[in-house]
Amino acid sequence: MNLFKGSLIASLLCLSPLCYAQIDDIDAKTKAKIESIIDEYVSTHPEIIIRAMQKLEHDEQAVQANNVKNAGIALRNDSTLPQINTSRAKHYIVEFFDFNCGYCKVLEPMLERALKEFDLQIIYVNIPIIKEESSQTAVFSQAVYNIDKKAYFKFHKYFMTPGYRSADTDTLKKLCKEYNVDFNKVVTELKSKRPHERITKSIAQSTNLKISGTPYLIIDGKELRGAFRDYEQLKALLKD
């Protein structure tokens, strides 16, 4: 209320013959008189507050929509992120996910199905926010991606299978052996800190987009927070 009133005072001043640059330049008596007039006006016209709040909300939504659109374009062209197909695809989905997110695991088969039915690019942005173990899985899988992109998706599929998937050292070594990935090379890549930097950047990007949970999707430039009810809901968003 005070912020709104202060803005209204400043607007009134700029309509007067003496347009003050700062509201603090007004003497206390004049300022009190103007505030009294505004208080009375707002009290008798409460709809002005509603209109101001609606405009503020509309402006914030427009800014967010623009941020989402720009982020989608940037992320689908970021080669440091795991992705299926290229930016030449007609449609794209950016998924901010956590390997320990149950809803993300439910969504995964829908994304796989969509890849078969549409000219679609999928970009995976790992933001480990659910539990401490998520961070370990995130940086390890990013390290795998950095040295063997095809092998990454085997790890991705394993960890996105419904149910708990341990990311302890023994399990990771076993997976590396199974997927023909040199565990020592992964360790060396981890020591370079590049995987950590990528995950840190992903978290920063999620903050800029005001993401509060996973999954968070950008589909052809528009955001969708949370999982789909069913595949038909996703399919409807990808129709030409």
Side-chain angles (χ1 to χ4, degrees):
M1 178 68 172
N2 289 334
L3 178 61
F4 171 76
K5 185 168 67 176
S7 299
L8 192 52
I9 291 173
S11 299
L12 289 174
L13 286 171
C14 287
L15 293 176
S16 68
L18 296 177
C19 182
Y20 295 91
Q22 298 291 335
I23 196 170
D24 292 337
D25 293 336
I26 311 171
D27 63 84
K29 188 175 181 180
T30 302
K31 182 178 178 181
K33 185 176 181 180
I34 294 174
E35 287 181 341
S36 177
I37 293 172
I38 293 174
D39 280 339
E40 182 179 355
Y41 182 82
V42 170
S43 296
T44 55
H45 299 81
E47 69 278 3
I48 194 173
I49 297 178
I50 297 175
R51 288 200 300 270
M53 295 301 295
Q54 288 174 336
K55 183 179 185 306
L56 178 62
E57 182 179 3
H58 179 270
D59 291 346
E60 289 178 344
Q61 289 175 346
V63 170
Q64 175 69 2
N66 188 59
N67 288 341
V68 169
K69 182 179 179 180
N70 290 336
I73 294 171
L75 291 167
R76 74 179 308 200
N77 289 286
D78 190 337
S79 62
T80 67
L81 291 169
Q83 53 188 277
I84 300 174
N85 296 332
T86 70
S87 59
R88 291 190 296 273
K90 184 173 184 178
H91 301 284
Y92 75 90
I93 298 176
V94 178
E95 182 192 15
F96 285 79
F97 75 100
D98 184 309
F99 278 124
N100 286 296
C101 169
Y103 292 111
C104 297
K105 293 175 187 280
V106 171
L107 177 62
E108 191 68 14
M110 299 185 197
L111 298 180
E112 293 175 359
R113 182 176 174 182
L115 279 168
K116 297 177 182 177
E117 296 184 18
F118 296 92
D119 181 16
L120 175 66
Q121 177 195 22
I122 296 182
I123 306 93
Y124 294 100
V125 186
N126 199 330
I127 50 173
I129 58 176
I130 293 180
K131 60 170 76 172
E132 185 176 348
E133 192 175 39
S134 295
S135 296
Q136 181 178 343
T137 312
V139 294
F140 188 89
S141 62
Q142 183 65 43
V144 171
Y145 180 77
N146 291 353
I147 63 176
D148 189 335
K149 292 177 171 53
K150 289 184 179 180
Y152 164 83
F153 289 100
K154 296 178 181 179
F155 281 85
H156 185 94
K157 188 174 184 64
Y158 173 82
F159 285 111
M160 292 304 287
T161 301
Y164 174 71
R165 290 291 182 272
S166 174
D168 62 84
T169 302
D170 289 340
T171 298
L172 296 176
K173 284 183 176 180
K174 181 180 178 181
L175 290 174
C176 282
K177 183 176 181 180
E178 182 178 348
Y179 302 147
N180 295 315
V181 175
D182 189 327
F183 181 79
N184 292 327
K185 286 185 178 180
V186 178
V187 172
T188 299
E189 180 63 20
L190 287 169
K191 290 179 179 178
S192 75
K193 296 301 180 182
R194 285 187 292 267
H196 303 78
E197 290 167 0
R198 174 62 259 182
I199 299 303
T200 298
K201 183 176 180 180
S202 295
I203 293 173
Q205 290 169 323
S206 73
T207 300
N208 290 337
L209 290 171
K210 300 179 181 179
I211 298 174
S212 57
T214 55
Y216 170 94
L217 306 173
I218 300 177
I219 303 178
D220 292 342
K222 297 181 180 180
E223 70 175 359
L224 190 145
R225 297 174 184 268
F228 293 103
R229 295 188 301 273
D230 51 45
Y231 178 70
E232 292 304 314
Q233 184 184 8
L234 170 57
K235 186 176 179 179
L237 295 175
L238 294 173
K239 283 185 177 181
D240 298 334

Short mmCIF file of all heavy atoms in Angstrom, two decimals, residues 102-142:
data_model
loop_
_atom_site.label_atom_id
_atom_site.label_comp_id
_atom_site.label_asym_id
_atom_site.label_seq_id
_atom_site.Cartn_x
_atom_site.Cartn_y
_atom_site.Cartn_z
N GLY A 102 9.91 -38.46 -8.34
CA GLY A 102 8.97 -39.49 -8.76
C GLY A 102 8.13 -39.07 -9.95
O GLY A 102 7.85 -39.87 -10.85
N TYR A 103 7.70 -37.81 -9.99
CA TYR A 103 6.89 -37.32 -11.10
C TYR A 103 7.70 -37.29 -12.39
O TYR A 103 7.17 -37.53 -13.48
CB TYR A 103 6.35 -35.93 -10.78
CG TYR A 103 5.32 -35.92 -9.66
CD1 TYR A 103 5.61 -35.35 -8.43
CD2 TYR A 103 4.06 -36.49 -9.85
CE1 TYR A 103 4.68 -35.35 -7.40
CE2 TYR A 103 3.11 -36.49 -8.83
CZ TYR A 103 3.43 -35.91 -7.61
OH TYR A 103 2.50 -35.92 -6.61
N CYS A 104 9.00 -36.99 -12.27
CA CYS A 104 9.87 -37.00 -13.45
C CYS A 104 9.97 -38.41 -14.02
O CYS A 104 9.99 -38.60 -15.25
CB CYS A 104 11.27 -36.49 -13.09
SG CYS A 104 11.34 -34.77 -12.51
N LYS A 105 10.03 -39.39 -13.15
CA LYS A 105 10.11 -40.79 -13.58
C LYS A 105 8.83 -41.22 -14.30
O LYS A 105 8.86 -41.97 -15.28
CB LYS A 105 10.37 -41.70 -12.37
CG LYS A 105 11.74 -41.50 -11.73
CD LYS A 105 11.86 -42.35 -10.46
CE LYS A 105 13.15 -42.06 -9.70
NZ LYS A 105 14.31 -42.74 -10.27
N VAL A 106 7.70 -40.73 -13.82
CA VAL A 106 6.42 -41.03 -14.47
C VAL A 106 6.35 -40.37 -15.84
O VAL A 106 5.80 -40.93 -16.80
CB VAL A 106 5.25 -40.54 -13.58
CG1 VAL A 106 3.92 -40.64 -14.34
CG2 VAL A 106 5.18 -41.35 -12.30
N LEU A 107 6.93 -39.18 -15.95
CA LEU A 107 6.90 -38.44 -17.21
C LEU A 107 7.79 -39.06 -18.28
O LEU A 107 7.51 -38.95 -19.48
CB LEU A 107 7.34 -36.99 -16.93
CG LEU A 107 7.46 -36.05 -18.12
CD1 LEU A 107 6.10 -35.87 -18.80
CD2 LEU A 107 8.01 -34.70 -17.67
N GLU A 108 8.86 -39.71 -17.87
CA GLU A 108 9.87 -40.21 -18.81
C GLU A 108 9.30 -41.07 -19.94
O GLU A 108 9.64 -40.85 -21.11
CB GLU A 108 10.95 -40.98 -18.04
CG GLU A 108 12.18 -41.30 -18.86
CD GLU A 108 13.00 -40.09 -19.25
OE1 GLU A 108 12.79 -39.01 -18.66
OE2 GLU A 108 13.85 -40.22 -20.15
N PRO A 109 8.44 -42.06 -19.67
CA PRO A 109 7.89 -42.87 -20.76
C PRO A 109 7.06 -42.03 -21.74
O PRO A 109 7.00 -42.35 -22.94
CB PRO A 109 7.01 -43.90 -20.04
CG PRO A 109 7.55 -43.94 -18.65
CD PRO A 109 8.00 -42.55 -18.36
N MET A 110 6.43 -40.98 -21.26
CA MET A 110 5.65 -40.11 -22.14
C MET A 110 6.57 -39.37 -23.11
O MET A 110 6.25 -39.21 -24.29
CB MET A 110 4.84 -39.10 -21.31
CG MET A 110 3.85 -39.70 -20.37
SD MET A 110 2.85 -38.41 -19.57
CE MET A 110 2.17 -39.32 -18.19
N LEU A 111 7.72 -38.93 -22.61
CA LEU A 111 8.68 -38.24 -23.47
C LEU A 111 9.24 -39.20 -24.51
O LEU A 111 9.40 -38.83 -25.69
CB LEU A 111 9.82 -37.67 -22.62
CG LEU A 111 9.45 -36.60 -21.59
CD1 LEU A 111 10.69 -36.13 -20.84
CD2 LEU A 111 8.74 -35.42 -22.24
N GLU A 112 9.50 -40.43 -24.10
CA GLU A 112 10.01 -41.43 -25.04
C GLU A 112 8.98 -41.72 -26.13
O GLU A 112 9.34 -41.87 -27.31
CB GLU A 112 10.35 -42.72 -24.28
CG GLU A 112 11.53 -42.58 -23.33
CD GLU A 112 11.78 -43.83 -22.51
OE1 GLU A 112 11.00 -44.81 -22.66
OE2 GLU A 112 12.74 -43.85 -21.72
N ARG A 113 7.73 -41.77 -25.75
CA ARG A 113 6.66 -42.01 -26.74
C ARG A 113 6.53 -40.82 -27.69
O ARG A 113 6.38 -41.01 -28.91
CB ARG A 113 5.34 -42.25 -26.01
CG ARG A 113 4.18 -42.56 -26.94
CD ARG A 113 2.92 -42.88 -26.15
NE ARG A 113 1.77 -43.05 -27.03
CZ ARG A 113 0.53 -43.29 -26.60
NH1 ARG A 113 0.30 -43.42 -25.29
NH2 ARG A 113 -0.47 -43.42 -27.46
N ALA A 114 6.63 -39.62 -27.15
CA ALA A 114 6.52 -38.42 -27.98
C ALA A 114 7.64 -38.35 -29.01
O ALA A 114 7.44 -37.89 -30.13
CB ALA A 114 6.53 -37.17 -27.09
N LEU A 115 8.82 -38.82 -28.64
CA LEU A 115 9.95 -38.82 -29.56
C LEU A 115 9.67 -39.69 -30.79
O LEU A 115 10.17 -39.42 -31.88
CB LEU A 115 11.21 -39.35 -28.85
CG LEU A 115 11.96 -38.34 -27.99
CD1 LEU A 115 12.99 -39.07 -27.12
CD2 LEU A 115 12.65 -37.28 -28.85
N LYS A 116 8.87 -40.73 -30.61
CA LYS A 116 8.55 -41.63 -31.71
C LYS A 116 7.45 -41.07 -32.61
O LYS A 116 7.36 -41.44 -33.79
CB LYS A 116 8.11 -42.99 -31.16
CG LYS A 116 9.18 -43.72 -30.36
CD LYS A 116 8.65 -45.02 -29.77
CE LYS A 116 9.71 -45.73 -28.94
NZ LYS A 116 9.18 -46.96 -28.31
N GLU A 117 6.64 -40.18 -32.07
CA GLU A 117 5.48 -39.69 -32.81
C GLU A 117 5.65 -38.29 -33.40
O GLU A 117 4.89 -37.90 -34.29
CB GLU A 117 4.25 -39.71 -31.90
CG GLU A 117 3.84 -41.10 -31.45
CD GLU A 117 2.56 -41.11 -30.63
OE1 GLU A 117 1.80 -40.11 -30.70
OE2 GLU A 117 2.32 -42.11 -29.93
N PHE A 118 6.63 -37.54 -32.90
CA PHE A 118 6.78 -36.16 -33.34
C PHE A 118 8.21 -35.84 -33.74
O PHE A 118 9.15 -36.51 -33.30
CB PHE A 118 6.34 -35.19 -32.23
CG PHE A 118 4.89 -35.27 -31.87
CD1 PHE A 118 4.47 -36.12 -30.84
CD2 PHE A 118 3.93 -34.54 -32.55
CE1 PHE A 118 3.13 -36.21 -30.49
CE2 PHE A 118 2.59 -34.62 -32.22
CZ PHE A 118 2.19 -35.46 -31.19
N ASP A 119 8.37 -34.83 -34.57
CA ASP A 119 9.69 -34.30 -34.89
C ASP A 119 10.09 -33.44 -33.70
O ASP A 119 9.77 -32.26 -33.62
CB ASP A 119 9.60 -33.45 -36.17
CG ASP A 119 10.96 -32.90 -36.58
OD1 ASP A 119 11.99 -33.39 -36.07
OD2 ASP A 119 10.98 -31.95 -37.40
N LEU A 120 10.78 -34.05 -32.75
CA LEU A 120 10.95 -33.47 -31.42
C LEU A 120 12.38 -33.53 -30.91
O LEU A 120 13.07 -34.53 -31.10
CB LEU A 120 10.03 -34.24 -30.44
CG LEU A 120 10.10 -33.93 -28.96
CD1 LEU A 120 9.62 -32.49 -28.68
CD2 LEU A 120 9.27 -34.94 -28.17
N GLN A 121 12.79 -32.45 -30.30
CA GLN A 121 14.08 -32.39 -29.59
C GLN A 121 13.79 -32.31 -28.09
O GLN A 121 12.90 -31.57 -27.67
CB GLN A 121 14.88 -31.15 -30.02
CG GLN A 121 16.19 -30.98 -29.26
CD GLN A 121 16.78 -29.58 -29.43
OE1 GLN A 121 16.06 -28.63 -29.74
NE2 GLN A 121 18.06 -29.45 -29.22
N ILE A 122 14.52 -33.10 -27.31
CA ILE A 122 14.37 -33.04 -25.85
C ILE A 122 15.70 -32.67 -25.24
O ILE A 122 16.74 -33.24 -25.57
CB ILE A 122 13.88 -34.38 -25.27
CG1 ILE A 122 12.47 -34.69 -25.79
CG2 ILE A 122 13.86 -34.32 -23.73
CD1 ILE A 122 11.88 -35.98 -25.24
N ILE A 123 15.67 -31.70 -24.35
CA ILE A 123 16.86 -31.22 -23.65
C ILE A 123 16.66 -31.46 -22.16
O ILE A 123 15.64 -31.05 -21.59
CB ILE A 123 17.12 -29.72 -23.90
CG1 ILE A 123 17.17 -29.42 -25.40
CG2 ILE A 123 18.39 -29.27 -23.21
CD1 ILE A 123 15.85 -28.99 -25.99
N TYR A 124 17.62 -32.13 -21.52
CA TYR A 124 17.51 -32.44 -20.10
C TYR A 124 18.39 -31.50 -19.28
O TYR A 124 19.60 -31.41 -19.50
CB TYR A 124 17.95 -33.88 -19.85
CG TYR A 124 17.04 -34.91 -20.48
CD1 TYR A 124 17.39 -35.52 -21.69
CD2 TYR A 124 15.85 -35.29 -19.87
CE1 TYR A 124 16.57 -36.47 -22.28
CE2 TYR A 124 15.02 -36.25 -20.45
CZ TYR A 124 15.39 -36.83 -21.65
OH TYR A 124 14.57 -37.77 -22.23
N VAL A 125 17.77 -30.82 -18.33
CA VAL A 125 18.50 -29.90 -17.44
C VAL A 125 18.36 -30.43 -16.02
O VAL A 125 17.29 -30.36 -15.42
CB VAL A 125 17.95 -28.46 -17.53
CG1 VAL A 125 18.83 -27.51 -16.72
CG2 VAL A 125 17.88 -28.00 -18.99
N ASN A 126 19.45 -30.95 -15.49
CA ASN A 126 19.43 -31.59 -14.18
C ASN A 126 19.59 -30.56 -13.06
O ASN A 126 20.60 -29.86 -12.99
CB ASN A 126 20.57 -32.62 -14.10
CG ASN A 126 20.35 -33.64 -13.00
OD1 ASN A 126 19.73 -33.35 -11.99
ND2 ASN A 126 20.86 -34.84 -13.20
N ILE A 127 18.58 -30.46 -12.21
CA ILE A 127 18.68 -29.57 -11.04
C ILE A 127 18.44 -30.42 -9.78
O ILE A 127 17.30 -30.70 -9.42
CB ILE A 127 17.69 -28.39 -11.12
CG1 ILE A 127 16.26 -28.85 -11.44
CG2 ILE A 127 18.16 -27.38 -12.15
CD1 ILE A 127 15.22 -27.73 -11.35
N PRO A 128 19.50 -30.85 -9.12
CA PRO A 128 19.37 -31.72 -7.93
C PRO A 128 18.86 -30.95 -6.72
O PRO A 128 19.61 -30.31 -6.01
CB PRO A 128 20.80 -32.21 -7.72
CG PRO A 128 21.67 -31.12 -8.28
CD PRO A 128 20.91 -30.57 -9.45
N ILE A 129 17.55 -31.02 -6.48
CA ILE A 129 16.96 -30.22 -5.40
C ILE A 129 16.21 -31.06 -4.37
O ILE A 129 15.80 -30.54 -3.33
CB ILE A 129 15.98 -29.17 -5.97
CG1 ILE A 129 14.88 -29.85 -6.79
CG2 ILE A 129 16.73 -28.16 -6.84
CD1 ILE A 129 13.82 -28.92 -7.33
N ILE A 130 16.05 -32.35 -4.63
CA ILE A 130 15.20 -33.16 -3.75
C ILE A 130 15.95 -33.71 -2.54
O ILE A 130 15.46 -33.64 -1.42
CB ILE A 130 14.55 -34.30 -4.55
CG1 ILE A 130 13.55 -33.71 -5.55
CG2 ILE A 130 13.85 -35.30 -3.63
CD1 ILE A 130 12.83 -34.72 -6.39
N LYS A 131 17.12 -34.26 -2.77
CA LYS A 131 17.89 -34.80 -1.65
C LYS A 131 19.38 -34.69 -1.96
O LYS A 131 19.78 -34.43 -3.10
CB LYS A 131 17.51 -36.24 -1.34
CG LYS A 131 17.75 -37.20 -2.51
CD LYS A 131 17.59 -38.65 -2.07
CE LYS A 131 16.16 -39.06 -1.90
NZ LYS A 131 16.03 -40.53 -1.66
N GLU A 132 20.20 -34.88 -0.95
CA GLU A 132 21.65 -34.73 -1.11
C GLU A 132 22.20 -35.68 -2.17
O GLU A 132 23.09 -35.33 -2.95
CB GLU A 132 22.35 -34.96 0.23
CG GLU A 132 23.85 -34.70 0.18
CD GLU A 132 24.50 -34.85 1.54
OE1 GLU A 132 23.77 -34.91 2.56
OE2 GLU A 132 25.74 -34.89 1.59
N GLU A 133 21.68 -36.88 -2.22
CA GLU A 133 22.16 -37.88 -3.18
C GLU A 133 21.91 -37.44 -4.62
O GLU A 133 22.62 -37.86 -5.54
CB GLU A 133 21.49 -39.23 -2.92
CG GLU A 133 22.15 -40.38 -3.67
CD GLU A 133 21.53 -41.71 -3.30
OE1 GLU A 133 20.30 -41.77 -3.14
OE2 GLU A 133 22.28 -42.69 -3.16
N SER A 134 20.93 -36.58 -4.81
CA SER A 134 20.63 -36.09 -6.15
C SER A 134 21.83 -35.37 -6.75
O SER A 134 22.09 -35.46 -7.96
CB SER A 134 19.43 -35.15 -6.12
OG SER A 134 18.25 -35.82 -5.73
N SER A 135 22.55 -34.63 -5.92
CA SER A 135 23.71 -33.88 -6.40
C SER A 135 24.80 -34.82 -6.90
O SER A 135 25.42 -34.58 -7.94
CB SER A 135 24.26 -32.99 -5.29
OG SER A 135 23.32 -32.00 -4.92
N GLN A 136 25.04 -35.90 -6.16
CA GLN A 136 26.06 -36.86 -6.55
C GLN A 136 25.71 -37.50 -7.89
O GLN A 136 26.56 -37.63 -8.79
CB GLN A 136 26.23 -37.94 -5.48
CG GLN A 136 27.30 -38.98 -5.82
CD GLN A 136 27.48 -40.01 -4.71
OE1 GLN A 136 27.05 -39.81 -3.59
NE2 GLN A 136 28.13 -41.12 -5.04
N THR A 137 24.45 -37.88 -8.04
CA THR A 137 24.02 -38.50 -9.29
C THR A 137 24.10 -37.51 -10.44
O THR A 137 24.50 -37.86 -11.55
CB THR A 137 22.57 -39.01 -9.16
OG1 THR A 137 22.43 -39.76 -7.95
CG2 THR A 137 22.20 -39.90 -10.33
N ALA A 138 23.74 -36.27 -10.16
CA ALA A 138 23.74 -35.23 -11.20
C ALA A 138 25.13 -34.97 -11.75
O ALA A 138 25.34 -34.98 -12.97
CB ALA A 138 23.14 -33.94 -10.65
N VAL A 139 26.10 -34.75 -10.87
CA VAL A 139 27.45 -34.42 -11.34
C VAL A 139 28.11 -35.64 -11.98
O VAL A 139 28.86 -35.51 -12.97
CB VAL A 139 28.33 -33.85 -10.21
CG1 VAL A 139 27.81 -32.51 -9.74
CG2 VAL A 139 28.46 -34.81 -9.05
N PHE A 140 27.83 -36.82 -11.45
CA PHE A 140 28.42 -38.03 -12.04
C PHE A 140 27.87 -38.25 -13.45
O PHE A 140 28.64 -38.53 -14.39
CB PHE A 140 28.15 -39.25 -11.17
CG PHE A 140 28.89 -40.48 -11.61
CD1 PHE A 140 30.16 -40.75 -11.12
CD2 PHE A 140 28.34 -41.36 -12.54
CE1 PHE A 140 30.87 -41.88 -11.53
CE2 PHE A 140 29.03 -42.49 -12.96
CZ PHE A 140 30.30 -42.74 -12.46
N SER A 141 26.57 -38.14 -13.60
CA SER A 141 25.97 -38.36 -14.93
C SER A 141 26.42 -37.28 -15.91
O SER A 141 26.61 -37.57 -17.10
CB SER A 141 24.44 -38.40 -14.82
OG SER A 141 23.93 -37.16 -14.35
N GLN A 142 26.60 -36.06 -15.43
CA GLN A 142 27.10 -35.00 -16.30
C GLN A 142 28.53 -35.30 -16.74
O GLN A 142 28.89 -35.05 -17.90
CB GLN A 142 27.05 -33.65 -15.59
CG GLN A 142 27.49 -32.46 -16.46
CD GLN A 142 26.57 -32.20 -17.63
OE1 GLN A 142 25.35 -32.24 -17.48
NE2 GLN A 142 27.14 -31.94 -18.80
#
